[in-house]
């Protein structure tokens, strides 16, 4: 199975595919079998059994995903949260402490702030763009540092180079949620990260029709994470694996269009008199612009903005646009729009939201792959109606 391909586009199509093809099938079939004939496997984790993440559908995805990020290994999981929780519970043991970026995806934030203490784990939130402040937060029991490629919903970029360097210098495991960037825009292993985590529900699958996750990174960590996953049970169903495998093949094409649409829409919004603020790392006015240019190959498909006006005006705008579907999540072929204060960040107190810069009027857009001009025209009519 393991041939080396140079470019990401070729890896998406060919990496991890079986050679020879199974019964000549061009598309990897779905192995809808819970168990497989015993063929002398020595260890529990190698027994061919569906929960042990080693059916042909799992194995092919592991190889393809590792190749995409130029990492040694990967494991797929039942959801993004299964990837994140299993990775964290592998890296950390009772009594350990972790440094975490202060602006996290809501599910991760809840896991850390609500569940960690039941497992004897401690955390300190750090500012992702202030490396000078991190050393003072390290404790004797600090084991890891955890950040996100782009923060949600304000699309800021932490000093990711400094995170990987800081982890190395202090013997910490560096972990990054790379969901918002996708391997097309950012490949953490190339910058020295130990582990990259994904909600494959988003860009990797790209069609808003499954839930899945992945951990990609150093082989020794991935092996430990796979064993923990086998115990915790968050394995990916072969049917979802098949859809993820199919969706991945067009990742480069989709993300290129997501990037292009989001940049053009961000530029249109930034120039419109009805718009107060636009948050997108691809705008030269963004604080994250220089860092994003250095680290990323594209700025991603998600942007946020505020209209001049109150919540009622933001809601009215969302009713007027025709193409975006008002729904949470991101990374699909269709444009989705939400007001984070009522969806992804509704669990945060109003005071915490305000402190994080998430106003009640903020609108987040996951820009799809529709024609750029149709999207811009739709936003224009809704702004000017
Ligand atoms: N990480 C990020 C950045 C996300 O946006 C999400 C979901 O929205 C997750 C992780 C969790 O993924 P899942 O819903 O697949 O469990």
């Amino acid at each position: 199975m393991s041939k080396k391909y140079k470019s990401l586009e070729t890896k998406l199509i060919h990496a991890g595919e079986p050679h020879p093809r199974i019964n000549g099938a061009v598309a990897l079939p779905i192995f809808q079998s819970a168990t497989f004939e015993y063929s002398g496997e020595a260890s529990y984790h190698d027994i061919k059994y569906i929960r042990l993440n080693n059916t042909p559908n799992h194995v092919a995805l592991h190889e393809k995903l590792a190749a995409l990020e130029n990492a040694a290994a990967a494991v797929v999981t039942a959801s993004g949260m299964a990837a994140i929780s299993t990775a964290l519970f592998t890296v950390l043991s009772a009594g350990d402490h972790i440094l975490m970026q202060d602006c996290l995806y809501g599910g991760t934030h809840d896991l850390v702030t609500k569940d960690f203490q039941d497992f004897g784990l401690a955390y300190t939130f750090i500012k992702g763009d202030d490396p000078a402040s991190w050393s003072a937060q390290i404790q004797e029991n600090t084991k890891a540092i955890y950040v996100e490629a782009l923060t949600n919903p304000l699309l800021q970029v932490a000093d990711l180079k400094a995170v990987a360097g800081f982890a190395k210098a202090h013997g910490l495991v560096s972990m990054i949620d790379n969901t918002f960037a996708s391997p097309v825009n950012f490949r953490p292993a190339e910058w020295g990260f130990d582990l990259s985590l994904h909600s494959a529900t988003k860009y990797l699958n790209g069609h808003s029709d499954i839930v899945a996750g992945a951990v990609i990174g150093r082989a020794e960590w991935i092996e430990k994470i796979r064993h923990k996953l086998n115990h915790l049970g968050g394995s990916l169903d072969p049917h979802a694996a098949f859809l993820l495998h199919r969706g991945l093949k067009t990742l480069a094409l989709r993300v290129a269009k997501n990037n292009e649409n989001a940049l053009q829409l961000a530029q249109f919004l930034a120039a419109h008199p009805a718009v107060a603020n636009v948050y997108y790392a691809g705008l030269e006015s963004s604080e994250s612009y220089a860092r994003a240019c250095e680290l990323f190959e594209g700025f991603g498909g998600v942007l946020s903005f505020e209209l001049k006006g109150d919540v009622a005006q933001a809601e009215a705008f969302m009713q007027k646009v025709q193409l975006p579907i008002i729904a949470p999540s991101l990374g699909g072929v269709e444009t989705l729009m939400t007001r984070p204060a009522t969806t992804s960040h509704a669990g945060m107190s109003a005071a915490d939201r305000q402190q994080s810069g998430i106003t009640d009027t903020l609108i987040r857009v996951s820009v799809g792959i529709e024609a750029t001009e149709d999207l811009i025209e739709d936003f224009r009519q809704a702004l000017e109606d």
Side-chain angles (χ1 to χ4, degrees):
M1 276 218 195
S2 52
K3 275 196 186 173
K4 295 263 179 262
Y5 304 100
K6 225 168 116 196
S7 64
L8 183 119
E9 289 84 349
T10 308
K11 289 173 186 175
L12 285 166
I13 309 301
H14 294 288
E17 300 295 326
H19 294 287
R21 303 270 156 174
I22 297 161
N23 281 359
V26 171
L28 181 64
I30 308 174
F31 282 81
Q32 197 70 49
S33 181
T35 187
F36 293 73
E37 282 183 329
Y38 178 70
S39 57
E41 291 83 12
S43 102
Y44 170 72
H45 295 285
D46 292 331
I47 294 167
K48 296 282 178 283
Y49 177 62
I50 198 164
R51 177 176 39 80
L52 301 179
N53 302 293
N54 55 21
T55 74
N57 294 107
H58 292 111
V59 171
L61 276 173
H62 295 165
E63 202 167 317
K64 198 183 287 290
L65 288 166
L68 295 184
E69 291 197 351
N70 285 324
V75 61
V76 286
T77 59
S79 68
M81 281 312 299
I84 291 165
S85 57
T86 307
L88 284 168
F89 290 138
T90 305
V91 168
L92 303 174
S93 306
D96 286 345
H97 169 261
I98 183 170
L99 301 175
M100 304 210 67
Q101 191 173 3
D102 56 3
C103 190
L104 292 169
Y105 161 65
T108 311
H109 185 271
D110 274 12
L111 173 74
V112 169
T113 56
K114 302 205 169 112
D115 299 322
F116 259 27
Q117 72 174 22
D118 296 344
F119 295 92
L121 303 175
Y123 61 91
T124 301
F125 285 131
I126 54 163
K127 294 214 169 306
D129 59 356
D130 187 12
S133 66
W134 301 341
S135 297
Q137 314 288 350
I138 284 212
Q139 303 177 8
E140 251 176 37
N141 55 348
T142 306
K143 291 287 158 52
I145 181 165
Y146 184 110
V147 292
E148 296 186 356
L150 282 154
T151 64
N152 176 23
L154 296 177
L155 293 318
Q156 290 155 340
V157 184
D159 194 340
L160 301 180
K161 235 162 73 168
V163 172
F166 182 84
K168 207 154 276 160
H170 292 89
L172 309 179
V173 181
S174 49
M175 307 173 77
I176 180 166
D177 183 330
N178 198 32
T179 301
F180 268 57
S182 93
V184 177
N185 290 332
F186 186 61
R187 291 174 292 282
E190 294 175 0
W191 295 85
F193 277 89
D194 296 310
L195 292 171
S196 160
L197 310 149
H198 285 271
S199 167
T201 316
K202 313 296 190 305
Y203 290 103
L204 293 182
N205 177 57
H207 293 73
S208 307
D209 53 9
I210 59 163
V211 59
V215 189
I216 306 172
R218 292 194 190 283
E220 58 279 21
W221 276 118
I222 296 297
E223 189 59 4
K224 286 183 187 159
I225 291 166
R226 190 173 72 82
H227 289 190
K228 187 72 79 180
L229 186 68
N230 290 344
H231 294 156
L232 294 176
S235 52
L236 186 64
D237 178 79
H239 229 100
F242 171 81
L243 287 172
L244 174 57
H245 195 123
R246 184 167 73 164
L248 269 172
K249 291 184 182 171
T250 54
L251 180 74
L253 295 172
R254 287 186 284 102
V255 171
K257 186 66 180 164
N258 293 127
N259 287 342
E260 180 197 334
N261 276 352
L263 180 59
Q264 295 214 27
L265 191 58
Q267 286 167 343
F268 164 77
L269 290 169
H272 199 283
V275 175
N277 296 300
V278 182
Y279 303 90
Y280 187 64
L283 291 179
E284 285 180 39
S285 55
S286 162
E287 279 174 21
S288 296
Y289 181 70
R291 207 173 280 148
C293 287
E294 185 188 2
L295 295 163
F296 296 165
E297 288 182 22
F299 304 108
V302 182
L303 63 87
S304 295
F305 67 101
E306 285 148 348
L307 297 176
K308 291 176 184 159
D310 57 14
V311 170
Q313 278 159 299
E315 284 288 329
F317 169 82
M318 290 172 71
Q319 295 303 317
K320 282 184 208 158
V321 283
Q322 306 279 311
L323 290 176
I325 301 164
I326 310 304
S329 198
L330 62 122
V333 291
E334 61 285 297
T335 297
L336 301 178
M337 185 181 274
T338 60
R339 203 154 58 77
T342 61
T343 52
S344 54
H345 294 72
M348 263 170 118
S349 70
D352 282 352
R353 274 203 305 272
Q354 200 169 7
Q355 212 193 354
S356 310
I358 305 165
T359 61
D360 286 353
T361 55
L362 188 78
I363 296 172
R364 189 191 80 180
V365 191
S366 168
V367 186
I369 62 168
E370 299 93 341
T372 319
E373 56 274 24
D374 287 347
L375 277 172
I376 290 182
E377 199 38 51
D378 188 28
F379 276 63
R380 188 196 310 280
Q381 67 76 24
L383 287 170
E384 294 171 12
D385 183 17

